[in-house]
Amino acid sequence: RKEVEQDPGPFNVPEGATVAFNCTYSNSASQSFFWYRQDCRKEPKLLMSVYSSGNEDGRFTAQLNRASQYISLLIRDSKLSDSATYLCVVNRYTGNQFYFGTGTSLTVIP
Amino acid sequence: DVKVTQSSRYLVKRTGEKVFLECVQDMDHENMFWYRQDPGLGLRLIYFSYDVKMKEKGDIPEGYSVSREKKERFSLILESASTNQTSMYLCASSLRQGEEYFGPGTRLTVT
C-alpha cells in the first residue's frame, strides 16, 4: 500500500467554484502534513502546513483527520491562477523522510 | 528566504557517461534530499542525508550514489548513465522537523 494516496484528477472547475481535494496516508505514526503546489515544469512549492486543529490561509483551508488518516484542501472562489498540481505530503520524522502523493491536477476554466 | 540551487537546468548525456548533479542550499538545513519525478509516478526519493557525510537510501537508489562533504552541498552521481534515468531531478532541503524547500530541478536526458 502506498504511504500517501491522492485522486489524480483531473479536476476541471469554473472560476469562482469551490473545490476540495482529499489525501489519505497509511502510517499512523505520521507527524506532520503539508500541501504543496507544483506548476507545470516547475518545482513544488509549499502551499501550507496542515495542523491538527485545521488552518486557513485566505481562500485555502486545510484539515487533518487523524482518526481516519486523511487530510484535505479546500479552495474557495477558484481563480485561473490556481491551476496547478497539488501534492499531499506527510513526514514521520523517524528517518527524516517525506512521503509525497502523486498529485491532483486542477484546471480552473474561465 | 530559503534558496536551493541546482547546477544545471537542462543536461544531455550519453549512455555510459558519469553524471554529477550538484545542489546547494543557503539556509543551514540539516536534511537534504534527491528525488526524481516522472509522469504518472510522482516524486520518488533516491537518497537523503541528515548530516554531513551521512546518507540514507530512499525508494529507488539503484544506479545512483550521493556525496555530502559539506552541510550546504549534496551531490547526486549517476555512475553510468542509462536511458531509463532520463527524468526531472529535484533537490530539496529542510530543517530537522520542517517543511522541504526545492531547487528548480534538472531535466536530464540520456541518449
Side-chain angles (χ1 to χ4, degrees):
Chain A
R1 187 182 168 189
K2 287 184 182 177
E3 287 276 344
V4 179
E5 299 214 47
Q6 288 182 255
D7 180 349
F11 285 66
N12 299 314
V13 302
E15 268 187 292
T18 295
V19 61
F21 307 136
N22 287 327
C23 164
T24 57
Y25 59 95
S26 61
N27 196 309
S28 59
S30 298
Q31 293 291 326
S32 60
F33 310 88
F34 309 94
W35 282 101
Y36 277 70
R37 171 195 169 123
Q38 186 172 24
D39 294 296
C40 188
R41 304 181 80 82
K42 298 275 194 174
E43 73 273 22
K45 291 188 178 176
L46 179 67
L47 178 66
M48 57 198 302
S49 302
V50 187
Y51 304 120
S52 296
S53 54
N55 49 299
E56 191 173 305
D57 183 2
R59 299 181 293 107
F60 298 84
T61 300
Q63 298 269 349
L64 167 65
N65 184 319
R66 284 191 184 271
S68 302
Q69 294 182 202
Y70 79 82
I71 67 174
S72 64
L73 178 68
L74 184 78
I75 305 175
R76 289 181 299 278
D77 188 21
S78 299
K79 311 289 184 194
L80 296 177
S81 57
D82 293 334
S83 298
T85 296
Y86 291 84
L87 300 167
C88 170
V89 185
V90 305
N91 185 313
R92 273 190 261 141
Y93 295 150
T94 53
N96 287 302
Q97 190 168 342
F98 291 80
Y99 297 90
F100 284 77
T102 52
T104 299
S105 173
L106 171 67
T107 300
V108 181
I109 304 161
Chain B
D1 206 22
V2 177
K3 192 139 188 200
V4 181
T5 55
Q6 295 183 228
S7 49
S8 306
R9 292 299 301 271
Y10 299 94
L11 210 51
V12 179
K13 294 291 182 181
R14 292 188 184 275
T15 301
E17 278 193 83
K18 191 168 186 176
V19 182
F20 293 87
L21 302 181
E22 301 282 338
C23 175
V24 178
Q25 50 94 5
D26 66 357
M27 282 304 292
D28 204 34
H29 285 172
E30 295 92 351
N31 301 331
M32 294 189 76
F33 307 82
W34 274 107
Y35 296 89
R36 63 177 284 177
Q37 187 173 31
D38 302 286
L41 296 176
L43 277 151
R44 292 182 291 167
L45 181 66
I46 304 171
Y47 268 96
F48 67 101
S49 168
Y50 53 88
D51 204 347
V52 176
K53 297 193 186 293
M54 305 301 289
K55 61 184 179 184
E56 294 282 345
K57 291 181 180 178
D59 300 317
I60 50 164
E62 295 79 21
Y64 303 95
S65 61
V66 290
S67 172
R68 193 162 180 204
E69 296 296 318
K70 294 185 177 181
K71 191 175 185 180
E72 68 270 18
R73 188 179 298 269
F74 193 34
S75 303
L76 179 70
I77 303 141
L78 286 66
E79 296 291 341
S80 177
S82 62
T83 54
N84 63 11
Q85 293 179 309
T86 292
S87 185
M88 169 69 95
Y89 289 86
L90 288 156
C91 174
S93 72
S94 76
L95 289 169
R96 202 166 296 288
Q97 293 188 358
E99 62 269 23
E100 282 187 295
Y101 295 86
F102 284 85
T106 296
R107 191 164 293 277
L108 172 68
T109 302
V110 183
T111 61

